[in-house]
Amino acid sequence: MDKTKILIIEDEAAIADLLAYGLGQEGYETAVALTGEDGLRELARRKPDLLLLDWMLPDRSGLDICRHATAEYRIPILMITAKSDITDKILGLEFGADDYITKPFDLREVKARIRTVLRRVALANRNGADAEEEETIRFGNVEISLAERAVRKDGDLVDLTPKEFDLLIALYGRRGRIFTRTELLDLVWGYDFAGDTRTVDTHIQRLRKKLDASDRISTVFGVGYKFEKQAD
């Protein structure tokens, strides 16, 4: 079985080496880049299964790399940062990060969060959070390819982040069921997620706008959200 490949983009060599060594001991295949530019080159060359990304790099913002990796490679991203403010964390999550580790950290926590993120990805890839076992889902003018993790509207590809895709599948897979924001956080982001329910609201708003689906994804005031059961 191929090893899970993890790319570490971290400008502090001591931290990068610690992460590479510790994750290597867990059986992961690791690679290190100390700058953003080197990291982008390694992303293209290695196509890792997961990215450990420092927020503050010497040559470019980790947020820019996060956005690029999300759009181009659609891989899970765990950000490592000295920023502890919840607003900063939400910003990173909206750029495509899946979770956060705040410096200083315990290597055991990093390993645990990596395992959690990878489990969520594996679960989402198994036909997406209990969605019906269809290769292709269609509603209205929207078509979802589960195998490609791709969404098209009127035949044109819609640029969804991995979390937007997972949220859409979670809602669609249980059409008519009302989810609280906390339930959606647990289902899509994981039980140990560091963010808050505003993250769900932001992603719902973006899904509605990108898919023109305000009539499909409904707000149940005082409770949460649901995907309406409708005949197409």
Side-chain angles (χ1 to χ4, degrees):
M1 181 181 295
D2 292 338
K3 291 184 177 181
T4 298
K5 296 182 292 184
I6 297 178
L7 175 61
I8 302 162
I9 305 179
E10 163 63 61
D11 67 316
E12 295 185 51
I15 293 178
D17 289 344
L18 171 66
L19 289 168
Y21 175 78
L23 297 176
Q25 292 293 102
E26 291 289 306
Y28 298 114
E29 179 184 325
T30 62
V32 170
L34 299 177
T35 68
E37 289 302 323
D38 286 345
L40 289 172
R41 282 191 287 271
E42 290 299 301
L43 266 173
R45 187 167 75 91
R46 295 179 181 273
K47 295 182 173 56
D49 301 300
L50 181 139
L51 175 60
L52 272 176
L53 175 62
D54 187 17
W55 180 303
M56 302 180 71
L57 295 165
D59 56 337
R60 63 188 302 163
S61 168
L63 288 178
D64 289 340
I65 296 173
C66 181
R67 178 166 50 190
H68 174 79
T70 298
E72 294 295 323
Y73 304 105
R74 298 185 179 274
I75 59 173
I77 300 169
L78 181 62
M79 294 200 79
I80 301 174
T81 179
K83 294 176 177 286
S84 58
D85 185 84
I86 187 63
T87 303
D88 290 325
K89 291 184 176 182
I90 291 171
L91 179 63
L93 294 162
E94 290 178 355
F95 270 68
D98 290 84
D99 205 348
Y100 264 89
I101 291 289
T102 303
K103 296 178 182 177
F105 56 79
D106 187 308
L107 188 57
R108 292 171 297 180
E109 182 184 5
V110 177
K111 293 176 181 178
R113 288 186 179 272
I114 286 173
R115 287 194 295 267
T116 299
V117 168
L118 291 174
R119 280 199 302 269
R120 289 204 301 265
V121 171
L123 179 61
N125 285 340
R126 289 201 298 269
N127 283 343
D130 294 339
E132 297 170 0
E133 294 198 6
E134 308 168 57
E135 285 300 316
T136 302
I137 294 168
R138 294 180 179 85
F139 59 88
N141 60 344
V142 175
E143 179 179 291
I144 305 170
S145 170
L146 295 173
E148 296 178 89
R149 287 180 61 86
V151 178
R152 293 174 175 84
K153 184 176 71 172
D154 294 323
D156 296 325
L157 192 65
V158 180
D159 184 20
L160 296 187
T161 69
K163 280 290 170 282
E164 288 168 352
F165 183 90
D166 292 343
L167 179 59
L168 174 62
I169 296 302
L171 289 166
Y172 179 89
R174 298 170 177 85
R175 295 181 297 288
R177 184 193 189 285
I178 300 171
F179 288 93
T180 66
R181 292 168 176 83
T182 300
E183 286 174 330
L184 289 171
L185 274 179
D186 292 343
L187 183 62
V188 178
W189 281 266
Y191 288 95
D192 56 355
F193 175 67
D196 65 14
T197 55
R198 287 177 293 177
T199 300
V200 175
D201 296 334
T202 299
H203 282 70
I204 290 287
Q205 291 166 13
R206 290 181 176 178
L207 273 178
R208 285 171 170 166
K209 183 176 181 180
K210 290 179 179 181
L211 301 179
D212 192 21
S214 296
D215 61 330
R216 301 280 180 165
I217 304 173
S218 300
T219 300
V220 181
F221 291 101
V223 183
Y225 299 102
K226 70 174 178 177
F227 196 104
E228 297 286 354
K229 288 184 176 180
Q230 295 182 355
D232 291 314

